[in-house]
């Protein structure tokens, strides 16, 4: 039932998109300009937790994205149940059902993907990237809502400028004392784009924005096609080693930055 409901929601999305394209073609008009924030598609991957079947944490996270990016499409990926958590299958199925109902009736512009087996974060993200139609992608874990005021137009412009490939957002209110040693700059820079940024060697799966093509290349080059793993578990070490062994040339391989308003 969950897979069928998710399929129907995706089918409605395809019909709506095709309708817009048909109208634009028949009227010979250019679609209206969208906001800079709408140049971003959000991806949220969720999986079984002890909180299932409650969806309160997911409600908060999706709500924070919708508040910040009212025009953005949100791709909500439900990973399958790993073998050692099969005892939570019934609770997780109910969690998925509740989230699908909220996506269909309340959240708006949410595309659900229900995976039939456990693929883990990296492979699930690959599936989601295939659904993205914007040039930038926002990755948000299901229990890390967006916080604070975010200059989305400035972040998109920074990525478009080509000086950085990923901009991480603060989940906390400041750079933690245990993370300072992974920052390359003593103060925010304004020469990397129109928003203040600090270069970093730290890959974190906290909310971050990146160009779509770059994110695809990261997954293609550093993850086997069948790898069932958390993205940060691989990329944190890869980026740290690149910086420590090659300095700024190593940082330039990934060009990670933190948004520091």
């Amino acid at each position: 039932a969950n897979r069928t409901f998710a399929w129907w929601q995706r089918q409605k999305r395809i019909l709506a998109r095709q309708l817009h394209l048909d109208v634009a073609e028949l009227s010979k008009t250019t679609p209206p300009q969208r906001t800079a924030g709408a140049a971003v598609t959000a991806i949220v991957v969720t999986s079984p937790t002890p909180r299932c079947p409650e969806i309160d944490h997911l409600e908060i996270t999706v709500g924070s994205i919708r508040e910040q990016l009212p025009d953005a499409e949100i791709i909500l990926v439900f990973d399958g149940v790993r073998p050692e958590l099969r005892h939570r299958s019934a609770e997780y199925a109910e969690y998925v059902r509740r989230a699908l109902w909220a996506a269909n009736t309340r959240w708006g512009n949410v595309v659900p993907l229900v995976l039939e087996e456990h693929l883990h974060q990296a492979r699930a993200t690959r599936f989601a990237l295939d659904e993205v139609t914007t040039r930038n992608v926002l990755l948000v874990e299901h229990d890390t809502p967006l916080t604070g005021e975010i200059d989305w137009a400035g972040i998109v412009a920074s990525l478009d400028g080509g000086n950085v490939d990923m901009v991480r957002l603060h989940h906390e209110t400041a750079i933690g004392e245990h993370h300072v040693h992974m920052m390359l700059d003593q103060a925010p820079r304004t020469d990397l784009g129109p928003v203040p940024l600090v270069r970093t060697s730290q890959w974190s799966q906290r909310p971050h924005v990146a160009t779509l093509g770059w994110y695809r290349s990261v997954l293609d080059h550093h993850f086997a096609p069948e790898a069932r793993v958390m993205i940060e578990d691989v990329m944190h070490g890869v980026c740290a080693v690149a910086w420590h062994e090659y300095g700024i040339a190593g940082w330039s391989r990934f060009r990670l930055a933190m948004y520091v308003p």
Side-chain angles (χ1 to χ4, degrees):
N2 284 341
R3 289 197 296 270
T4 302
F5 197 12
W7 172 87
W8 173 235
Q9 291 183 48
R10 293 180 65 205
Q11 189 69 15
K12 290 191 292 183
R13 171 222 196 190
I14 293 171
L15 292 171
R17 179 170 292 165
Q18 189 60 52
L19 181 61
H20 281 288
L21 293 175
D22 288 347
V23 169
E25 180 181 356
L26 292 171
S27 61
K28 307 299 181 186
T29 59
T30 303
Q33 292 295 312
R34 307 177 73 198
T35 63
V40 178
T41 298
I43 294 177
V44 180
V45 178
T46 188
S47 57
T49 74
R51 297 188 65 86
C52 294
E54 300 299 329
I55 65 169
D56 51 349
H57 66 290
L58 186 61
E59 185 100 46
I60 292 171
T61 299
V62 171
S64 73
I65 299 171
R66 182 55 66 233
E67 181 180 5
Q68 295 266 1
L69 296 168
D71 298 331
E73 185 170 73
I74 301 172
I75 299 175
L76 180 57
V77 187
F78 298 91
D79 196 8
V81 180
R82 66 176 71 188
E84 61 269 32
L85 294 180
R86 281 180 181 155
H87 61 284
R88 291 186 179 154
S89 295
E91 290 84 357
Y92 185 57
E94 174 61 14
Y95 167 83
V96 174
R97 188 196 68 79
R98 295 182 186 184
L100 289 174
W101 184 260
N104 189 64
T105 61
R106 292 192 284 108
W107 292 341
N109 204 14
V110 174
V111 183
L113 297 177
V114 178
L115 304 180
E116 297 190 23
E117 61 177 316
H118 169 63
L119 299 184
H120 221 320
Q121 189 181 66
R123 290 188 67 196
T125 300
R126 285 182 187 269
F127 275 90
L129 292 178
D130 289 340
E131 299 285 333
V132 175
T133 59
T134 56
R135 63 185 183 276
N136 300 301
V137 60
L138 164 67
L139 282 296
V140 183
E141 294 182 308
H142 63 182
D143 56 354
T144 57
L146 303 180
T147 59
E149 295 185 7
I150 300 172
D151 183 350
W152 293 101
I155 289 175
V156 168
S158 297
L159 292 169
D160 287 344
N163 292 317
V164 293
D165 290 313
M166 182 220 272
V167 176
R168 193 163 86 248
L169 308 174
H170 277 300
H171 182 61
E172 294 80 15
T173 56
I175 297 174
E177 60 178 310
H178 300 298
H179 296 165
V180 171
H181 70 283
M182 293 181 281
M183 304 300 142
L184 279 56
D185 301 305
Q186 298 297 316
R189 299 172 59 133
T190 56
D191 60 336
L192 299 174
V195 294
L197 299 172
V198 169
R199 296 174 301 170
T200 179
S201 63
Q202 180 196 19
W203 182 295
S204 171
Q205 211 59 26
R206 295 297 192 183
H208 54 281
V209 190
T211 57
L212 175 62
W214 177 85
Y215 219 91
R216 285 185 188 278
S217 69
V218 166
L219 294 179
D220 288 342
H221 284 90
H222 298 282
F223 297 83
E226 302 300 316
R228 287 177 167 86
V229 66
M230 298 289 284
I231 296 174
E232 181 180 330
D233 288 351
V234 173
M235 294 309 301
H236 181 89
V238 169
C239 294
V241 168
W243 163 247
H244 288 297
E245 291 193 356
Y246 302 104
I248 195 63
W251 174 85
S252 296
R253 293 181 181 179
F254 302 98
R255 298 192 296 183
L256 311 180
M258 288 198 67
Y259 173 57
V260 190

